[in-house]
Amino acid sequence: MNRTTLSLIAAATALAAVTGFAALSAPDPAATGDTAEAAAHLPVERTSLLCPPPSTSDLAETTYTSFTPVTKGTENKGGAELRAAERSEAGPEDEQDAGDAEGDESTEGTESDKDGEGGKSDEGGKPEDPVLAPGEPGKPATGDTSGGEAPALVGTADGRFAPGWTVQQTTEVAAGTGRGLQGVTCTAPDTEFWFPGASTDADRTDYVHLTNPGDSAAVVDVELYGEDGALETTVGEGITVGPHATEPILLSTLTEEEQTDVTVHVVVRSGRVGAAVQALDAELGGDWLAASTDPAGSLVLPGIPEDATAVRLVAFAPGDADADLKVRLASPSGLITPAGQETLRVKGGMTAAVDLGDLTRGEAGSLVLTPTNGAVPVVAAVRVLRGEGDARESAFIPAARPVGTRATSAGNTAEGTTLSVTAPEGTARIKVTASAGTEGGTPASETYTIKSGTTQNIDLPVPDGLKGTYALTIEPQSDTPVYASRTLTATEDDVPAFTVQTLPDDRGTVAVPKAEEDLSVLQR
């Protein structure tokens, strides 16, 4: 027996001790007829969510609602919590690149951040009390705060609390810049975000909020693109966000150019962050602008309110290629083309915008953007206005990902909640379940059919004996892609306040390829 054989045996023995002889292997073509077995979809075991600081207004009243849907296949253990983030003391890099300064610790922080570690400790090392203690799966829980000093939140959930965990942050601001209803779904950390629809105009006060859940500093670039291309920025590169900390950046401080429509591109060099844009207008209220789905040739922007008085579409094409888009509205009766606004040309590397007016005309609607010729990836969002004159309020709807396996929405009320669903590619069936309320009630479910090319505002199944707010889950019952959004409305001093959140897949499950014992991989 030569040394090579002995080495292979030793390696195999060591590997078996660590992995239990488990290895990923491709199916045998002879045994499967060249048909690969589908990966199993299993519940995720850990989820991280990041909530930006809700407001700087002393008049702000904020409610957090946490909900985890009941998911089959989870073990009867786990927990979830939200803890306050610190205000980052770091800023743009100057003499040294922060990634180099961190050395090996930067890499270690990236790995730790994958586990979604959050929260902070006091001097004795004991974690602070959580801001919100989420309830049992299937029952939402709420927490409140007021004023302009509320921090960003870093949240983690594991075990049976992790699959589909959703946190809604809703803020009412009675007066001042950005007055109205502001809502955002707390996001998972990532490395890239696109925000078409921001602004550096004098009437707007737009912040991009960056929150770092990791144990090491994250290094971030913020790029701005206007109607003529990239805007020259002064301190947009190498922004350092400290561990377990948040950094608000006023967009107008990054550039001297005032532009009505700007696309913000957040790129993370080191670590991962959560990002959201808070867009506040001196006259038109304000709301959170969530990130658009990844650049794609075709996009869907679901759930434009039926009483919208103005809709402005903003799109951006990364790269050098121009995009020619067909603009259509998925109405309750089918796909229609807005008169005079049939197409939109988006030049490569530039932001384009068009006013579509009150195109919904009292009916539910969703925008569907498709290429007229060859597909060129784009990102997009719309700003929607409700009301007239001085009693107007604004909200944003970014291009959304499909509902996928299941979408989850928290913080719904018996009155003032609208669920909008569209199926642009074919007729679809969905199951909608309303959870028990935060203070009582019995869950209820209904199944609906969405006709091809239409948008439908769902007559929601409200829980019997509802007390408090409740959560919704949307589960497609067919293979046709569906897109959805949830609108919350309230009237404050005759101003029709509202906020819209899109409902993509809640990422409650993950595809896990089949694993088999196969020591032959050691000899390949």
Side-chain angles (χ1 to χ4, degrees):
M1 185 176 293
N2 58 33
R3 291 185 178 180
T4 301
T5 304
L6 288 172
S7 298
L8 284 173
I9 293 175
T13 303
L15 180 64
V18 175
T19 66
F21 294 99
L24 297 179
S25 59
D28 183 358
T32 62
D34 295 327
T35 302
E37 184 175 344
H41 284 263
L42 301 178
V44 299
E45 296 180 353
R46 191 175 183 87
T47 298
S48 177
L49 293 178
L50 304 169
C51 308
S55 179
T56 57
S57 171
D58 292 337
L59 303 177
E61 298 290 337
T62 301
T63 299
Y64 300 96
T65 307
S66 167
F67 179 73
T68 296
V70 176
T71 304
K72 294 181 179 180
T74 59
E75 297 181 1
N76 190 27
K77 61 180 181 179
E81 65 181 20
L82 287 161
R83 294 185 179 275
E86 299 174 355
R87 176 64 184 268
S88 179
E89 298 298 330
E93 300 166 327
D94 35 45
E95 297 182 358
Q96 283 187 316
D97 182 88
D100 293 337
E102 290 293 326
D104 294 338
E105 292 181 4
S106 176
T107 303
E108 292 173 6
T110 303
E111 292 301 316
S112 174
D113 191 35
K114 291 180 181 178
D115 292 333
E117 292 294 331
K120 58 179 180 176
S121 301
D122 58 22
E123 294 180 357
K126 180 181 178 181
E128 297 180 353
D129 291 336
V131 176
L132 170 64
E136 292 292 310
K139 183 178 180 180
T142 63
D144 300 316
T145 188
S146 61
E149 300 297 326
L153 302 182
V154 177
T156 56
D158 58 18
R160 63 195 180 104
F161 290 83
W165 185 38
T166 301
V167 177
Q168 169 72 18
Q169 174 182 296
T170 304
T171 303
E172 294 186 34
V173 180
T177 299
R179 57 96 178 98
L181 202 61
Q182 302 174 22
V184 64
T185 302
C186 301
T187 60
D190 209 337
T191 57
E192 186 177 33
F193 304 85
W194 293 96
F195 299 98
S199 179
T200 58
D201 191 79
D203 290 334
R204 286 273 288 271
T205 305
D206 286 18
Y207 288 86
V208 58
H209 289 266
L210 308 173
T211 306
N212 174 20
D215 293 330
S216 314
V219 181
V220 183
D221 293 338
V222 177
E223 303 165 350
L224 305 180
Y225 297 89
E227 60 182 355
D228 297 320
L231 302 183
E232 183 177 350
T233 59
T234 54
V235 290
E237 295 185 357
I239 297 170
T240 302
V241 185
H244 311 301
T246 189
E247 180 73 25
I249 301 166
L250 181 61
L251 296 185
S252 60
T253 64
L254 299 182
T255 180
E256 296 181 353
E257 297 187 48
E258 293 186 3
Q259 295 210 7
T260 302
D261 303 294
V262 171
T263 298
V264 179
H265 185 207
V266 175
V267 183
V268 184
R269 294 192 206 170
S270 174
R272 294 189 303 166
V273 302
V277 170
Q278 190 174 36
L280 309 177
D281 193 283
E283 302 293 335
L284 302 175
D287 205 351
W288 290 95
L289 169 59
S292 170
T293 187
D294 293 338
S298 298
L299 298 173
V300 178
L301 295 81
I304 299 174
E306 57 189 7
D307 60 350
T309 54
V311 177
R312 184 173 180 84
L313 171 63
V314 182
F316 176 76
D320 299 327
D322 297 346
D324 290 304
L325 299 173
K326 181 186 296 185
V327 180
R328 290 179 296 173
L329 178 72
S331 70
S333 58
L335 289 167
I336 59 176
T337 301
Q341 304 292 352
E342 295 86 358
T343 60
L344 174 65
R345 184 173 182 81
V346 187
K347 294 183 179 180
M350 302 180 188
T351 298
V354 60
D355 284 318
L356 301 176
D358 57 342
L359 82 166
T360 56
R361 300 185 182 278
E363 295 184 324
S366 302
L367 275 184
V368 179
L369 308 179
T370 54
T372 58
N373 294 308
V376 174
V378 294
V379 292
V382 293
R383 186 184 73 171
V384 180
L385 300 184
R386 294 175 69 229
E388 300 286 351
D390 294 335
R392 288 182 294 173
E393 159 76 316
S394 59
F396 297 86
I397 306 173
R401 300 193 308 272
V403 169
T405 303
R406 180 187 63 195
T408 302
S409 168
N412 302 289
T413 59
E415 297 181 0
T417 297
T418 301
L419 175 63
S420 185
V421 183
T422 185
E425 299 178 21
T427 298
R429 293 178 67 251
I430 61 169
K431 178 183 177 182
V432 179
T433 301
S435 75
T438 52
E439 301 173 16
T442 304
S445 297
E446 293 286 348
T447 301
Y448 305 86
T449 298
I450 312 299
K451 293 183 179 179
S452 178
T454 69
T455 297
Q456 180 177 335
N457 284 349
I458 300 297
D459 186 12
L460 290 172
V462 178
D464 294 334
L466 172 66
K467 294 182 180 180
T469 61
Y470 66 99
L472 290 169
T473 55
I474 300 95
E475 299 172 280
Q477 306 295 295
S478 57
D479 293 333
T480 304
V482 295
Y483 301 78
S485 69
R486 186 278 313 274
T487 301
L488 296 176
T489 60
T491 300
E492 300 176 358
D493 297 330
D494 297 326
V495 175
F498 74 117
T499 181
V500 183
Q501 283 77 55
T502 59
L503 304 178
D505 191 293
D506 64 18
R507 298 176 177 176
T509 60
V510 62
V512 179
K514 184 180 179 181
E516 294 180 349
E517 297 177 2
D518 186 5
L519 284 178
S520 65
V521 296
L522 297 173
Q523 299 176 338
R524 295 174 185 170

